[in-house]
């Protein structure tokens, strides 16, 4: 709403920005989203600044010349928010070269450059005897800056919380080129507004995050992984309640995959299985879990099929099933992803209802992070004939039902462009107006991820 684009060629933009950082025409590797739903912008360029100063120079030039900027991390976004749309000149600002990494052992924190991959952050923390609080299947590609900008969650939210719960400080560059450092790494700091939390989940609309300080946690000495098969989706809440009461803070993850998802991976043992839960229980030297495991087995109803992954290899295979499921589903045909959250009692409410709205050729599956109420509803149009129906009545029903159950249409993936219309229709007008005012304050020219 703020932009008045100055006509210029992509060659001019490349020449000018190359004074600050490597800049080239944007290939499909940068300009087409991971799900291949956004056509490539032929006039997009990609810039690779290697320092906060270079980011500031690039943003200042783009703001002065009214050129829109789309920040991009690891290219794993699922809501079309990290690639430019249309055919106007746009700059993709890649943060991948911002890979600083420093651990403060005494403060149990890590300073991460925005381009550091999540896997690199995890490995660095582990080498110093700590656990990084996030984990997800895309860890080898997604970046810590992108995790912050989308308030990423993943499989350990049930224990550590989302990114928002673990950030101690952040540096960001505003559209005008100003560098702002928010927070000083302290666990307790109540001096003024907590500006870093505005950048968390902002999806690049309020500036470019260049580094963050993240709280680290004690590293577990081991873990026990359980596979629990249930015959009724409604039994998952009972299982979670027992697990939470039995293991307490040792409960590291609680993931679920319904029968349709298991079938897509060839992991459905028989038709009596409605859902499988994957439960991680962490072990520490001063907190062995043998007695808790015995208590858990004795407490769950006898019809719950509880199995212990007996080896590291069996644990790996079980988690590989969960982590590769999104990629497997995406390979089966046009896919429509809904990242919803509900109170746990409503976790699977929407899945069978959507299944009744589509023909058998369409695969509908629900899986995800039951411990924090985040269900990933995936719809795969295997025959490629239901696009209008899914984008229309089915999507309308999903968002309407989510609102009725007082859920969220974006648990961890963000709004992006894909959910923009739904967000505007469901968000309270007062909240939207406050967000517009915040946007105007941080980005008066409207160049950041418009």
């Amino acid at each position: 709403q703020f932009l008045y684009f100055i006509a210029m060629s992509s060659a001019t933009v490349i020449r000018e920005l190359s004074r600050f950082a490597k800049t080239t025409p944007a290939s499909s590797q940068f300009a087409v989203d991971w799900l291949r739903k956004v056509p490539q912008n032929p006039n997009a360029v990609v810039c690779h600044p290697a320092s906060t100063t270079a980011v500031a120079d690039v943003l200042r030039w783009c703001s002065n010349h009214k050129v829109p900027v789309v920040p991009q991390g690891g290219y794993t976004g699922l809501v079309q928010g990290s690639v430019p749309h249309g055919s106007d000149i746009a700059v993709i600002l890649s943060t991948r070269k911002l890979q600083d990494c420093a651990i403060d052992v005494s403060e149990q924190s890590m300073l991460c450059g925005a381009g550091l991959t999540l896997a690199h952050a995890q490995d660095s923390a582990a080498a110093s005897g700590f656990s990084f609080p996030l984990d997800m299947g895309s860890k080898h590609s997604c970046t810590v800056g992108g995790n912050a900008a989308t308030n990423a969650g993943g499989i350990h939210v049930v224990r550590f919380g989302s990114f928002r719960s673990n950030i101690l400080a952040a540096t960001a560059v505003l559209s005008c080129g100003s560098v702002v450092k928010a927070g000083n790494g302290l666990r307790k700091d109540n001096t003024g507004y907590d500006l870093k939390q505005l950048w968390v989940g902002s999806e690049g609309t309020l500036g470019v995050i260049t580094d963050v300080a993240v709280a680290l946690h004690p590293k577990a000495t081991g873990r026990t992984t359980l596979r629990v098969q249930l015959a009724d989706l409604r039994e998952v809440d009972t299982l979670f309640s027992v697990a939470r009461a039995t293991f307490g803070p040792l409960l590291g993850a609680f993931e679920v995959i319904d029968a349709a998802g298991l079938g897509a991976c060839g992991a459905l043992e028989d038709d009596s299985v409605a859902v499988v839960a994957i439960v991680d229980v962490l072990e520490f030297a001063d907190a062995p879990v043998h007695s808790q495991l015995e208590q858990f087995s004795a407490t769950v109803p006898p019809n719950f099929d509880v199995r212990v992954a007996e080896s590291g290899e069996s644990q790996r295979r079980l988690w590989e099933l969960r982590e590769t499921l999104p990629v497997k589903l995406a390979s089966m045909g046009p896919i429509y992803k809904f990242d919803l959250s509900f109170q746990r009692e409503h976790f699977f409410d929407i899945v069978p209802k959507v299944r009744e709205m589509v023909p058998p050729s369409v695969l509908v599956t629900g899986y995800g992070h039951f411990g924090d109420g985040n269900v990933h509803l995936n719809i795969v149009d295997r025959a490629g004939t239901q696009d209008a129906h899914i984008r229309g009545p089915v999507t309308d029903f999903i968002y309407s039902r989510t609102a009725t159950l007082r859920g969220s249409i974006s648990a961890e993936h963000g709004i992006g462009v894909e959910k923009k219309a739904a967000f505007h229709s469901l968000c309270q007008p007062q909240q939207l107006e406050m967000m517009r005012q915040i946007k105007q304050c941080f980005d008066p020219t409207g160049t950041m991820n418009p």
Side-chain angles (χ1 to χ4, degrees), residues 21-351:
K22 178 183 177 182
T23 307
T24 62
S27 66
S28 60
Q29 177 186 357
F30 295 95
V32 179
D33 64 311
W34 188 81
L35 290 175
R36 321 300 291 182
K37 292 188 176 183
V38 180
Q40 181 172 351
N41 180 334
N43 293 308
V45 305
V46 59
C47 185
H48 300 270
S51 67
T52 296
T53 299
V55 172
D57 290 336
V58 169
L59 292 188
R60 187 179 300 110
W61 187 91
C62 289
S63 179
N64 289 340
H65 294 84
K66 306 298 187 293
V67 175
V69 178
V70 180
Q72 186 180 99
Y75 188 67
T76 58
L78 299 173
V79 290
Q80 305 172 18
S82 62
V83 294
H85 292 243
S87 59
D88 290 329
I89 295 289
V91 174
I92 300 169
L93 192 149
S94 173
T95 61
R96 297 183 197 184
K97 287 191 175 183
L98 304 173
Q99 296 194 11
D100 293 339
C101 179
I103 293 178
D104 187 327
V105 174
S106 64
E107 291 297 328
Q108 296 190 19
S109 65
M110 176 188 290
L111 181 67
C112 304
L116 196 71
T117 65
L118 176 55
H120 190 157
Q122 291 175 330
D123 292 343
S124 297
S128 295
F130 298 108
S131 288
F132 198 82
L134 266 69
D135 192 17
M136 59 195 70
S138 59
K139 57 191 171 188
H140 294 289
S141 301
C142 70
T143 61
V144 176
N147 295 154
T150 57
N151 187 28
I155 66 174
H156 290 319
V157 171
V158 69
R159 174 169 169 78
F160 298 125
S162 64
F163 201 98
R164 188 180 300 282
S165 301
N166 292 278
I167 186 171
L168 301 175
T171 302
V173 183
L174 307 187
S175 61
C176 62
S178 295
V179 178
V180 181
K181 295 182 180 293
N184 52 16
L186 299 176
R187 259 60 173 187
K188 297 181 73 173
D189 179 8
N190 200 27
T191 52
Y193 298 128
D194 194 352
L195 295 178
K196 66 182 182 294
Q197 293 291 356
L198 284 175
W199 294 318
V200 175
S202 66
E203 302 181 58
T205 60
L206 302 180
V208 176
I209 297 170
T210 58
D211 65 52
V212 291
V214 181
L216 302 178
H217 302 269
K219 181 182 176 183
T221 56
R223 63 173 179 164
T224 299
T225 304
L226 308 175
R227 172 181 174 137
V228 186
Q229 297 190 157
L230 305 173
D232 192 325
L233 294 174
R234 294 169 295 183
E235 295 174 331
V236 180
D237 200 23
T238 299
L239 178 67
F240 178 77
S241 296
V242 174
R244 182 174 56 180
T246 304
F247 302 120
L250 300 179
L251 182 62
F254 194 105
E255 299 288 295
V256 292
I257 307 173
D258 72 0
L262 293 168
C265 293
L268 183 63
E269 294 188 357
D270 61 70
D271 293 339
S272 67
V273 177
V275 61
V276 162
I278 304 174
V279 183
D280 252 8
V281 183
L282 304 181
E283 302 178 38
F284 296 87
D286 59 349
V289 297
H290 302 296
S291 60
Q292 288 97 323
L293 289 170
E294 292 178 355
Q295 179 185 345
F296 177 77
S297 297
T299 305
V300 296
N303 61 310
F304 288 13
D305 183 0
V306 181
R307 307 177 188 181
V308 179
E310 299 290 353
S311 66
E313 176 61 21
S314 58
Q315 286 182 331
R316 185 195 65 77
R317 289 198 303 268
L318 193 52
W319 277 109
E320 185 179 62
L321 169 66
R322 167 63 183 88
E323 292 178 350
T324 60
L325 177 58
V327 177
K328 175 66 175 178
L329 293 171
S331 71
M332 299 174 67
I335 189 168
Y336 306 81
K337 288 179 169 287
F338 297 86
D339 169 47
L340 313 170
S341 64
F342 304 98
Q343 294 182 346
R344 282 184 293 270
E345 64 178 311
H346 301 309
F347 188 91
F348 279 116
D349 172 274
I350 207 165
V351 179

Side-chain angles (χ1 to χ4, degrees), residues 79 337-342 398-400 402-403 407-415 419-427:
V79 290
K337 288 179 169 287
F338 297 86
D339 169 47
L340 313 170
S341 64
F342 304 98
I398 291 170
Y399 289 149
S400 173
T402 300
S408 170
I409 64 170
S410 177
E412 60 181 2
H413 291 170
I415 299 298
K419 299 180 182 180
K420 185 176 179 180
F423 172 68
H424 279 251
S425 66
L426 295 174
C427 190

